[in-house]
Amino acid sequence: MSWVARDTVLNPNMTQAEQENNVNIIAAFFRNEGWTDNAIAAMLGNMQTESYLNPAQWQHNMNYSMDGGFGLAQWTPATKLADYLGTGWRTNYDGQLDRIRYEWQNGLQWMYNVNMSFAQFAVSTDSVNYLTEVFLRNYEIIKQKRLC
């Protein structure tokens, strides 16, 4: 199965089928890493909002700006992903999943705004709704009141 990606300036719209294609790639990758379906669904919900599940998505109104976000998780600034992946970073879609795995395994990009570590999140069987909130508040680094 191959990624579907759209240049967000030339052709920004992803169909439902194209998004589902990318969901299958992402889900298979993280299942192989031992993540629960609930954790994967929570992360995918965030990705759908952030990037429409488009690994070539630039942050709105900041197209091609390295100061804005890029990719499935909208790494901001885009140099965070570019520096990690190196040459060919804009089309290394599997590398974006590697970056999330790297962050998860090394405790990066995860703040304790909700009392759950990235490692605990990945194997949690809590509800998808709860885990979506956990991912949003910890991965997106939103400083708000704790849920627990």
PDB file of all heavy atoms in Angstrom, residues 71-107:
ATOM      1  N   GLY A  71       3.347  18.196   7.676  1.00  0.00           N
ATOM      2  CA  GLY A  71       3.205  16.759   7.829  1.00  0.00           C
ATOM      3  C   GLY A  71       2.003  16.314   8.613  1.00  0.00           C
ATOM      4  O   GLY A  71       1.133  17.104   8.983  1.00  0.00           O
ATOM      5  N   LEU A  72       1.940  15.021   8.857  1.00  0.00           N
ATOM      6  CA  LEU A  72       0.813  14.405   9.536  1.00  0.00           C
ATOM      7  C   LEU A  72       0.537  15.034  10.893  1.00  0.00           C
ATOM      8  O   LEU A  72      -0.603  15.250  11.266  1.00  0.00           O
ATOM      9  CB  LEU A  72       1.069  12.905   9.722  1.00  0.00           C
ATOM     10  CG  LEU A  72       1.092  12.072   8.448  1.00  0.00           C
ATOM     11  CD1 LEU A  72       1.682  10.698   8.727  1.00  0.00           C
ATOM     12  CD2 LEU A  72      -0.310  11.955   7.856  1.00  0.00           C
ATOM     13  N   ALA A  73       1.603  15.301  11.641  1.00  0.00           N
ATOM     14  CA  ALA A  73       1.455  15.861  12.990  1.00  0.00           C
ATOM     15  C   ALA A  73       1.737  17.357  13.015  1.00  0.00           C
ATOM     16  O   ALA A  73       1.798  17.951  14.085  1.00  0.00           O
ATOM     17  CB  ALA A  73       2.371  15.131  13.964  1.00  0.00           C
ATOM     18  N   GLN A  74       1.898  17.955  11.833  1.00  0.00           N
ATOM     19  CA  GLN A  74       2.163  19.398  11.726  1.00  0.00           C
ATOM     20  C   GLN A  74       3.314  19.829  12.636  1.00  0.00           C
ATOM     21  O   GLN A  74       3.173  20.705  13.486  1.00  0.00           O
ATOM     22  CB  GLN A  74       0.892  20.203  12.020  1.00  0.00           C
ATOM     23  CG  GLN A  74      -0.151  20.093  10.933  1.00  0.00           C
ATOM     24  CD  GLN A  74       0.293  20.746   9.634  1.00  0.00           C
ATOM     25  OE1 GLN A  74       0.256  21.963   9.517  1.00  0.00           O
ATOM     26  NE2 GLN A  74       0.724  19.953   8.661  1.00  0.00           N
ATOM     27  N   TRP A  75       4.468  19.179  12.458  1.00  0.00           N
ATOM     28  CA  TRP A  75       5.650  19.552  13.234  1.00  0.00           C
ATOM     29  C   TRP A  75       5.953  21.017  12.991  1.00  0.00           C
ATOM     30  O   TRP A  75       6.075  21.459  11.846  1.00  0.00           O
ATOM     31  CB  TRP A  75       6.847  18.688  12.850  1.00  0.00           C
ATOM     32  CG  TRP A  75       6.761  17.310  13.411  1.00  0.00           C
ATOM     33  CD1 TRP A  75       7.178  16.901  14.645  1.00  0.00           C
ATOM     34  CD2 TRP A  75       6.229  16.143  12.770  1.00  0.00           C
ATOM     35  NE1 TRP A  75       6.934  15.558  14.812  1.00  0.00           N
ATOM     36  CE2 TRP A  75       6.351  15.069  13.672  1.00  0.00           C
ATOM     37  CE3 TRP A  75       5.651  15.912  11.530  1.00  0.00           C
ATOM     38  CZ2 TRP A  75       5.940  13.777  13.379  1.00  0.00           C
ATOM     39  CZ3 TRP A  75       5.228  14.632  11.233  1.00  0.00           C
ATOM     40  CH2 TRP A  75       5.376  13.580  12.149  1.00  0.00           C
ATOM     41  N   THR A  76       6.062  21.770  14.079  1.00  0.00           N
ATOM     42  CA  THR A  76       6.274  23.207  14.006  1.00  0.00           C
ATOM     43  C   THR A  76       7.448  23.595  14.896  1.00  0.00           C
ATOM     44  O   THR A  76       7.451  23.247  16.072  1.00  0.00           O
ATOM     45  CB  THR A  76       5.010  23.962  14.460  1.00  0.00           C
ATOM     46  OG1 THR A  76       3.885  23.480  13.717  1.00  0.00           O
ATOM     47  CG2 THR A  76       5.154  25.451  14.267  1.00  0.00           C
ATOM     48  N   PRO A  77       8.423  24.277  14.296  1.00  0.00           N
ATOM     49  CA  PRO A  77       8.539  24.617  12.879  1.00  0.00           C
ATOM     50  C   PRO A  77       8.840  23.365  12.054  1.00  0.00           C
ATOM     51  O   PRO A  77       9.291  22.347  12.591  1.00  0.00           O
ATOM     52  CB  PRO A  77       9.701  25.605  12.845  1.00  0.00           C
ATOM     53  CG  PRO A  77      10.557  25.220  14.014  1.00  0.00           C
ATOM     54  CD  PRO A  77       9.601  24.729  15.077  1.00  0.00           C
ATOM     55  N   ALA A  78       8.634  23.477  10.770  1.00  0.00           N
ATOM     56  CA  ALA A  78       8.858  22.339   9.875  1.00  0.00           C
ATOM     57  C   ALA A  78      10.296  21.839   9.931  1.00  0.00           C
ATOM     58  O   ALA A  78      10.560  20.679   9.623  1.00  0.00           O
ATOM     59  CB  ALA A  78       8.485  22.727   8.441  1.00  0.00           C
ATOM     60  N   THR A  79      11.206  22.689  10.370  1.00  0.00           N
ATOM     61  CA  THR A  79      12.608  22.264  10.492  1.00  0.00           C
ATOM     62  C   THR A  79      12.773  21.129  11.493  1.00  0.00           C
ATOM     63  O   THR A  79      13.729  20.364  11.396  1.00  0.00           O
ATOM     64  CB  THR A  79      13.503  23.447  10.913  1.00  0.00           C
ATOM     65  OG1 THR A  79      12.965  24.033  12.098  1.00  0.00           O
ATOM     66  CG2 THR A  79      13.593  24.480   9.802  1.00  0.00           C
ATOM     67  N   LYS A  80      11.841  20.998  12.439  1.00  0.00           N
ATOM     68  CA  LYS A  80      11.916  19.895  13.405  1.00  0.00           C
ATOM     69  C   LYS A  80      11.890  18.556  12.672  1.00  0.00           C
ATOM     70  O   LYS A  80      12.656  17.649  12.986  1.00  0.00           O
ATOM     71  CB  LYS A  80      10.762  19.984  14.402  1.00  0.00           C
ATOM     72  CG  LYS A  80      10.825  18.944  15.496  1.00  0.00           C
ATOM     73  CD  LYS A  80       9.628  19.006  16.417  1.00  0.00           C
ATOM     74  CE  LYS A  80       9.704  20.214  17.308  1.00  0.00           C
ATOM     75  NZ  LYS A  80       8.628  20.215  18.328  1.00  0.00           N
ATOM     76  N   LEU A  81      11.024  18.442  11.683  1.00  0.00           N
ATOM     77  CA  LEU A  81      10.944  17.220  10.895  1.00  0.00           C
ATOM     78  C   LEU A  81      12.059  17.172   9.852  1.00  0.00           C
ATOM     79  O   LEU A  81      12.701  16.142   9.673  1.00  0.00           O
ATOM     80  CB  LEU A  81       9.585  17.121  10.208  1.00  0.00           C
ATOM     81  CG  LEU A  81       9.328  15.855   9.402  1.00  0.00           C
ATOM     82  CD1 LEU A  81       9.350  14.616  10.294  1.00  0.00           C
ATOM     83  CD2 LEU A  81       7.995  15.951   8.669  1.00  0.00           C
ATOM     84  N   ALA A  82      12.305  18.297   9.179  1.00  0.00           N
ATOM     85  CA  ALA A  82      13.321  18.342   8.124  1.00  0.00           C
ATOM     86  C   ALA A  82      14.702  17.986   8.674  1.00  0.00           C
ATOM     87  O   ALA A  82      15.438  17.212   8.050  1.00  0.00           O
ATOM     88  CB  ALA A  82      13.353  19.728   7.481  1.00  0.00           C
ATOM     89  N   ASP A  83      15.055  18.525   9.816  1.00  0.00           N
ATOM     90  CA  ASP A  83      16.365  18.242  10.406  1.00  0.00           C
ATOM     91  C   ASP A  83      16.474  16.776  10.813  1.00  0.00           C
ATOM     92  O   ASP A  83      17.536  16.173  10.688  1.00  0.00           O
ATOM     93  CB  ASP A  83      16.624  19.142  11.611  1.00  0.00           C
ATOM     94  CG  ASP A  83      16.825  20.598  11.232  1.00  0.00           C
ATOM     95  OD1 ASP A  83      17.005  20.900  10.039  1.00  0.00           O
ATOM     96  OD2 ASP A  83      16.783  21.453  12.148  1.00  0.00           O
ATOM     97  N   TYR A  84      15.397  16.211  11.288  1.00  0.00           N
ATOM     98  CA  TYR A  84      15.401  14.808  11.709  1.00  0.00           C
ATOM     99  C   TYR A  84      15.553  13.873  10.509  1.00  0.00           C
ATOM    100  O   TYR A  84      16.322  12.923  10.546  1.00  0.00           O
ATOM    101  CB  TYR A  84      14.111  14.481  12.477  1.00  0.00           C
ATOM    102  CG  TYR A  84      14.001  13.035  12.865  1.00  0.00           C
ATOM    103  CD1 TYR A  84      14.712  12.530  13.946  1.00  0.00           C
ATOM    104  CD2 TYR A  84      13.196  12.153  12.140  1.00  0.00           C
ATOM    105  CE1 TYR A  84      14.623  11.197  14.308  1.00  0.00           C
ATOM    106  CE2 TYR A  84      13.098  10.819  12.493  1.00  0.00           C
ATOM    107  CZ  TYR A  84      13.817  10.349  13.576  1.00  0.00           C
ATOM    108  OH  TYR A  84      13.726   9.014  13.917  1.00  0.00           O
ATOM    109  N   LEU A  85      14.812  14.149   9.425  1.00  0.00           N
ATOM    110  CA  LEU A  85      14.806  13.249   8.270  1.00  0.00           C
ATOM    111  C   LEU A  85      15.903  13.529   7.256  1.00  0.00           C
ATOM    112  O   LEU A  85      16.294  12.642   6.508  1.00  0.00           O
ATOM    113  CB  LEU A  85      13.442  13.297   7.575  1.00  0.00           C
ATOM    114  CG  LEU A  85      12.271  12.756   8.389  1.00  0.00           C
ATOM    115  CD1 LEU A  85      10.964  12.947   7.627  1.00  0.00           C
ATOM    116  CD2 LEU A  85      12.478  11.286   8.736  1.00  0.00           C
ATOM    117  N   GLY A  86      16.384  14.748   7.188  1.00  0.00           N
ATOM    118  CA  GLY A  86      17.449  15.077   6.249  1.00  0.00           C
ATOM    119  C   GLY A  86      16.965  15.174   4.812  1.00  0.00           C
ATOM    120  O   GLY A  86      15.794  15.438   4.541  1.00  0.00           O
ATOM    121  N   THR A  87      17.864  14.920   3.877  1.00  0.00           N
ATOM    122  CA  THR A  87      17.580  15.034   2.453  1.00  0.00           C
ATOM    123  C   THR A  87      16.336  14.238   2.074  1.00  0.00           C
ATOM    124  O   THR A  87      16.157  13.105   2.510  1.00  0.00           O
ATOM    125  CB  THR A  87      18.780  14.525   1.632  1.00  0.00           C
ATOM    126  OG1 THR A  87      19.940  15.244   2.020  1.00  0.00           O
ATOM    127  CG2 THR A  87      18.555  14.706   0.138  1.00  0.00           C
ATOM    128  N   GLY A  88      15.481  14.851   1.287  1.00  0.00           N
ATOM    129  CA  GLY A  88      14.264  14.184   0.838  1.00  0.00           C
ATOM    130  C   GLY A  88      13.156  14.166   1.879  1.00  0.00           C
ATOM    131  O   GLY A  88      12.173  13.450   1.733  1.00  0.00           O
ATOM    132  N   TRP A  89      13.277  14.980   2.904  1.00  0.00           N
ATOM    133  CA  TRP A  89      12.347  14.948   4.039  1.00  0.00           C
ATOM    134  C   TRP A  89      10.894  15.194   3.634  1.00  0.00           C
ATOM    135  O   TRP A  89       9.996  14.619   4.224  1.00  0.00           O
ATOM    136  CB  TRP A  89      12.781  15.955   5.105  1.00  0.00           C
ATOM    137  CG  TRP A  89      12.629  17.390   4.694  1.00  0.00           C
ATOM    138  CD1 TRP A  89      13.523  18.140   3.982  1.00  0.00           C
ATOM    139  CD2 TRP A  89      11.507  18.230   4.948  1.00  0.00           C
ATOM    140  NE1 TRP A  89      13.029  19.400   3.774  1.00  0.00           N
ATOM    141  CE2 TRP A  89      11.793  19.488   4.365  1.00  0.00           C
ATOM    142  CE3 TRP A  89      10.294  18.063   5.602  1.00  0.00           C
ATOM    143  CZ2 TRP A  89      10.904  20.558   4.422  1.00  0.00           C
ATOM    144  CZ3 TRP A  89       9.417  19.129   5.658  1.00  0.00           C
ATOM    145  CH2 TRP A  89       9.728  20.363   5.080  1.00  0.00           C
ATOM    146  N   ARG A  90      10.663  16.044   2.619  1.00  0.00           N
ATOM    147  CA  ARG A  90       9.273  16.390   2.254  1.00  0.00           C
ATOM    148  C   ARG A  90       8.501  15.220   1.679  1.00  0.00           C
ATOM    149  O   ARG A  90       7.270  15.209   1.713  1.00  0.00           O
ATOM    150  CB  ARG A  90       9.253  17.542   1.258  1.00  0.00           C
ATOM    151  CG  ARG A  90       9.486  18.885   1.935  1.00  0.00           C
ATOM    152  CD  ARG A  90       9.343  20.034   1.004  1.00  0.00           C
ATOM    153  NE  ARG A  90       8.041  20.045   0.327  1.00  0.00           N
ATOM    154  CZ  ARG A  90       7.753  20.829  -0.684  1.00  0.00           C
ATOM    155  NH1 ARG A  90       8.661  21.666  -1.170  1.00  0.00           N
ATOM    156  NH2 ARG A  90       6.566  20.796  -1.239  1.00  0.00           N
ATOM    157  N   THR A  91       9.187  14.218   1.138  1.00  0.00           N
ATOM    158  CA  THR A  91       8.498  13.069   0.557  1.00  0.00           C
ATOM    159  C   THR A  91       8.794  11.767   1.305  1.00  0.00           C
ATOM    160  O   THR A  91       8.415  10.693   0.847  1.00  0.00           O
ATOM    161  CB  THR A  91       8.867  12.903  -0.927  1.00  0.00           C
ATOM    162  OG1 THR A  91      10.286  12.794  -1.043  1.00  0.00           O
ATOM    163  CG2 THR A  91       8.360  14.088  -1.750  1.00  0.00           C
ATOM    164  N   ASN A  92       9.433  11.863   2.452  1.00  0.00           N
ATOM    165  CA  ASN A  92       9.712  10.680   3.270  1.00  0.00           C
ATOM    166  C   ASN A  92       8.566  10.488   4.264  1.00  0.00           C
ATOM    167  O   ASN A  92       8.679  10.806   5.440  1.00  0.00           O
ATOM    168  CB  ASN A  92      11.046  10.845   4.000  1.00  0.00           C
ATOM    169  CG  ASN A  92      11.426   9.608   4.781  1.00  0.00           C
ATOM    170  OD1 ASN A  92      10.659   8.671   4.908  1.00  0.00           O
ATOM    171  ND2 ASN A  92      12.633   9.622   5.319  1.00  0.00           N
ATOM    172  N   TYR A  93       7.461   9.971   3.760  1.00  0.00           N
ATOM    173  CA  TYR A  93       6.257   9.857   4.574  1.00  0.00           C
ATOM    174  C   TYR A  93       6.406   8.792   5.655  1.00  0.00           C
ATOM    175  O   TYR A  93       5.941   8.988   6.778  1.00  0.00           O
ATOM    176  CB  TYR A  93       5.041   9.596   3.692  1.00  0.00           C
ATOM    177  CG  TYR A  93       4.930  10.595   2.559  1.00  0.00           C
ATOM    178  CD1 TYR A  93       4.708  10.188   1.261  1.00  0.00           C
ATOM    179  CD2 TYR A  93       5.083  11.963   2.796  1.00  0.00           C
ATOM    180  CE1 TYR A  93       4.616  11.106   0.220  1.00  0.00           C
ATOM    181  CE2 TYR A  93       5.006  12.890   1.760  1.00  0.00           C
ATOM    182  CZ  TYR A  93       4.770  12.451   0.480  1.00  0.00           C
ATOM    183  OH  TYR A  93       4.694  13.355  -0.541  1.00  0.00           O
ATOM    184  N   ASP A  94       7.063   7.681   5.345  1.00  0.00           N
ATOM    185  CA  ASP A  94       7.333   6.683   6.379  1.00  0.00           C
ATOM    186  C   ASP A  94       8.208   7.279   7.479  1.00  0.00           C
ATOM    187  O   ASP A  94       8.077   6.928   8.643  1.00  0.00           O
ATOM    188  CB  ASP A  94       8.034   5.459   5.786  1.00  0.00           C
ATOM    189  CG  ASP A  94       7.124   4.627   4.897  1.00  0.00           C
ATOM    190  OD1 ASP A  94       5.890   4.653   5.080  1.00  0.00           O
ATOM    191  OD2 ASP A  94       7.662   3.935   4.003  1.00  0.00           O
ATOM    192  N   GLY A  95       9.075   8.196   7.098  1.00  0.00           N
ATOM    193  CA  GLY A  95       9.940   8.855   8.072  1.00  0.00           C
ATOM    194  C   GLY A  95       9.158   9.649   9.112  1.00  0.00           C
ATOM    195  O   GLY A  95       9.618   9.827  10.244  1.00  0.00           O
ATOM    196  N   GLN A  96       7.973  10.128   8.738  1.00  0.00           N
ATOM    197  CA  GLN A  96       7.143  10.841   9.707  1.00  0.00           C
ATOM    198  C   GLN A  96       6.692   9.889  10.812  1.00  0.00           C
ATOM    199  O   GLN A  96       6.653  10.262  11.990  1.00  0.00           O
ATOM    200  CB  GLN A  96       5.942  11.489   9.024  1.00  0.00           C
ATOM    201  CG  GLN A  96       6.352  12.616   8.100  1.00  0.00           C
ATOM    202  CD  GLN A  96       5.163  13.338   7.514  1.00  0.00           C
ATOM    203  OE1 GLN A  96       4.132  13.509   8.159  1.00  0.00           O
ATOM    204  NE2 GLN A  96       5.310  13.781   6.274  1.00  0.00           N
ATOM    205  N   LEU A  97       6.385   8.652  10.442  1.00  0.00           N
ATOM    206  CA  LEU A  97       6.013   7.656  11.449  1.00  0.00           C
ATOM    207  C   LEU A  97       7.222   7.293  12.299  1.00  0.00           C
ATOM    208  O   LEU A  97       7.100   7.114  13.514  1.00  0.00           O
ATOM    209  CB  LEU A  97       5.416   6.424  10.780  1.00  0.00           C
ATOM    210  CG  LEU A  97       4.212   6.676   9.873  1.00  0.00           C
ATOM    211  CD1 LEU A  97       3.676   5.371   9.318  1.00  0.00           C
ATOM    212  CD2 LEU A  97       3.128   7.472  10.576  1.00  0.00           C
ATOM    213  N   ASP A  98       8.389   7.220  11.662  1.00  0.00           N
ATOM    214  CA  ASP A  98       9.624   6.990  12.410  1.00  0.00           C
ATOM    215  C   ASP A  98       9.870   8.110  13.420  1.00  0.00           C
ATOM    216  O   ASP A  98      10.328   7.862  14.531  1.00  0.00           O
ATOM    217  CB  ASP A  98      10.831   6.889  11.468  1.00  0.00           C
ATOM    218  CG  ASP A  98      10.846   5.607  10.654  1.00  0.00           C
ATOM    219  OD1 ASP A  98      10.291   4.587  11.112  1.00  0.00           O
ATOM    220  OD2 ASP A  98      11.413   5.633   9.545  1.00  0.00           O
ATOM    221  N   ARG A  99       9.562   9.341  13.022  1.00  0.00           N
ATOM    222  CA  ARG A  99       9.747  10.491  13.926  1.00  0.00           C
ATOM    223  C   ARG A  99       8.843  10.356  15.155  1.00  0.00           C
ATOM    224  O   ARG A  99       9.284  10.602  16.283  1.00  0.00           O
ATOM    225  CB  ARG A  99       9.479  11.808  13.187  1.00  0.00           C
ATOM    226  CG  ARG A  99       9.464  13.039  14.072  1.00  0.00           C
ATOM    227  CD  ARG A  99      10.817  13.357  14.680  1.00  0.00           C
ATOM    228  NE  ARG A  99      10.662  14.314  15.770  1.00  0.00           N
ATOM    229  CZ  ARG A  99      11.642  15.022  16.278  1.00  0.00           C
ATOM    230  NH1 ARG A  99      12.878  14.903  15.817  1.00  0.00           N
ATOM    231  NH2 ARG A  99      11.419  15.852  17.268  1.00  0.00           N
ATOM    232  N   ILE A 100       7.592   9.961  14.948  1.00  0.00           N
ATOM    233  CA  ILE A 100       6.694   9.781  16.091  1.00  0.00           C
ATOM    234  C   ILE A 100       7.208   8.647  16.981  1.00  0.00           C
ATOM    235  O   ILE A 100       7.212   8.765  18.208  1.00  0.00           O
ATOM    236  CB  ILE A 100       5.253   9.524  15.622  1.00  0.00           C
ATOM    237  CG1 ILE A 100       4.709  10.770  14.928  1.00  0.00           C
ATOM    238  CG2 ILE A 100       4.357   9.123  16.810  1.00  0.00           C
ATOM    239  CD1 ILE A 100       3.401  10.555  14.204  1.00  0.00           C
ATOM    240  N   ARG A 101       7.657   7.565  16.370  1.00  0.00           N
ATOM    241  CA  ARG A 101       8.226   6.465  17.160  1.00  0.00           C
ATOM    242  C   ARG A 101       9.436   6.956  17.949  1.00  0.00           C
ATOM    243  O   ARG A 101       9.581   6.647  19.125  1.00  0.00           O
ATOM    244  CB  ARG A 101       8.632   5.301  16.249  1.00  0.00           C
ATOM    245  CG  ARG A 101       9.307   4.170  17.044  1.00  0.00           C
ATOM    246  CD  ARG A 101       9.664   2.963  16.209  1.00  0.00           C
ATOM    247  NE  ARG A 101      10.324   3.329  14.979  1.00  0.00           N
ATOM    248  CZ  ARG A 101      10.395   2.543  13.916  1.00  0.00           C
ATOM    249  NH1 ARG A 101       9.829   1.345  13.927  1.00  0.00           N
ATOM    250  NH2 ARG A 101      11.020   2.937  12.842  1.00  0.00           N
ATOM    251  N   TYR A 102      10.297   7.731  17.344  1.00  0.00           N
ATOM    252  CA  TYR A 102      11.471   8.294  18.012  1.00  0.00           C
ATOM    253  C   TYR A 102      11.050   9.171  19.198  1.00  0.00           C
ATOM    254  O   TYR A 102      11.616   9.086  20.282  1.00  0.00           O
ATOM    255  CB  TYR A 102      12.293   9.088  16.994  1.00  0.00           C
ATOM    256  CG  TYR A 102      13.474   9.813  17.570  1.00  0.00           C
ATOM    257  CD1 TYR A 102      14.636   9.134  17.915  1.00  0.00           C
ATOM    258  CD2 TYR A 102      13.437  11.193  17.763  1.00  0.00           C
ATOM    259  CE1 TYR A 102      15.726   9.801  18.441  1.00  0.00           C
ATOM    260  CE2 TYR A 102      14.517  11.876  18.282  1.00  0.00           C
ATOM    261  CZ  TYR A 102      15.663  11.172  18.623  1.00  0.00           C
ATOM    262  OH  TYR A 102      16.735  11.845  19.155  1.00  0.00           O
ATOM    263  N   GLU A 103      10.044  10.013  18.975  1.00  0.00           N
ATOM    264  CA  GLU A 103       9.552  10.877  20.052  1.00  0.00           C
ATOM    265  C   GLU A 103       8.991  10.033  21.198  1.00  0.00           C
ATOM    266  O   GLU A 103       9.256  10.305  22.369  1.00  0.00           O
ATOM    267  CB  GLU A 103       8.472  11.827  19.518  1.00  0.00           C
ATOM    268  CG  GLU A 103       9.010  12.848  18.547  1.00  0.00           C
ATOM    269  CD  GLU A 103       7.938  13.556  17.750  1.00  0.00           C
ATOM    270  OE1 GLU A 103       6.765  13.104  17.720  1.00  0.00           O
ATOM    271  OE2 GLU A 103       8.272  14.575  17.121  1.00  0.00           O
ATOM    272  N   TRP A 104       8.226   9.006  20.844  1.00  0.00           N
ATOM    273  CA  TRP A 104       7.613   8.117  21.833  1.00  0.00           C
ATOM    274  C   TRP A 104       8.688   7.375  22.622  1.00  0.00           C
ATOM    275  O   TRP A 104       8.645   7.323  23.855  1.00  0.00           O
ATOM    276  CB  TRP A 104       6.661   7.178  21.100  1.00  0.00           C
ATOM    277  CG  TRP A 104       6.265   5.912  21.792  1.00  0.00           C
ATOM    278  CD1 TRP A 104       5.690   5.795  23.026  1.00  0.00           C
ATOM    279  CD2 TRP A 104       6.379   4.589  21.283  1.00  0.00           C
ATOM    280  NE1 TRP A 104       5.437   4.478  23.311  1.00  0.00           N
ATOM    281  CE2 TRP A 104       5.856   3.716  22.242  1.00  0.00           C
ATOM    282  CE3 TRP A 104       6.865   4.056  20.098  1.00  0.00           C
ATOM    283  CZ2 TRP A 104       5.805   2.334  22.065  1.00  0.00           C
ATOM    284  CZ3 TRP A 104       6.806   2.691  19.915  1.00  0.00           C
ATOM    285  CH2 TRP A 104       6.285   1.844  20.891  1.00  0.00           C
ATOM    286  N   GLN A 105       9.668   6.822  21.943  1.00  0.00           N
ATOM    287  CA  GLN A 105      10.698   6.029  22.613  1.00  0.00           C
ATOM    288  C   GLN A 105      11.682   6.880  23.411  1.00  0.00           C
ATOM    289  O   GLN A 105      12.333   6.367  24.319  1.00  0.00           O
ATOM    290  CB  GLN A 105      11.455   5.182  21.585  1.00  0.00           C
ATOM    291  CG  GLN A 105      10.607   4.089  20.996  1.00  0.00           C
ATOM    292  CD  GLN A 105      11.307   3.297  19.916  1.00  0.00           C
ATOM    293  OE1 GLN A 105      12.262   3.762  19.296  1.00  0.00           O
ATOM    294  NE2 GLN A 105      10.813   2.095  19.659  1.00  0.00           N
ATOM    295  N   ASN A 106      11.764   8.164  23.096  1.00  0.00           N
ATOM    296  CA  ASN A 106      12.731   9.037  23.763  1.00  0.00           C
ATOM    297  C   ASN A 106      12.088  10.126  24.616  1.00  0.00           C
ATOM    298  O   ASN A 106      12.780  11.034  25.080  1.00  0.00           O
ATOM    299  CB  ASN A 106      13.674   9.650  22.728  1.00  0.00           C
ATOM    300  CG  ASN A 106      14.567   8.601  22.110  1.00  0.00           C
ATOM    301  OD1 ASN A 106      15.522   8.150  22.722  1.00  0.00           O
ATOM    302  ND2 ASN A 106      14.218   8.157  20.911  1.00  0.00           N
ATOM    303  N   GLY A 107      10.787  10.022  24.806  1.00  0.00           N
ATOM    304  CA  GLY A 107      10.097  10.983  25.661  1.00  0.00           C
ATOM    305  C   GLY A 107      10.132  12.408  25.137  1.00  0.00           C
ATOM    306  O   GLY A 107      10.193  13.354  25.924  1.00  0.00           O
TER     307      GLY A 107
END
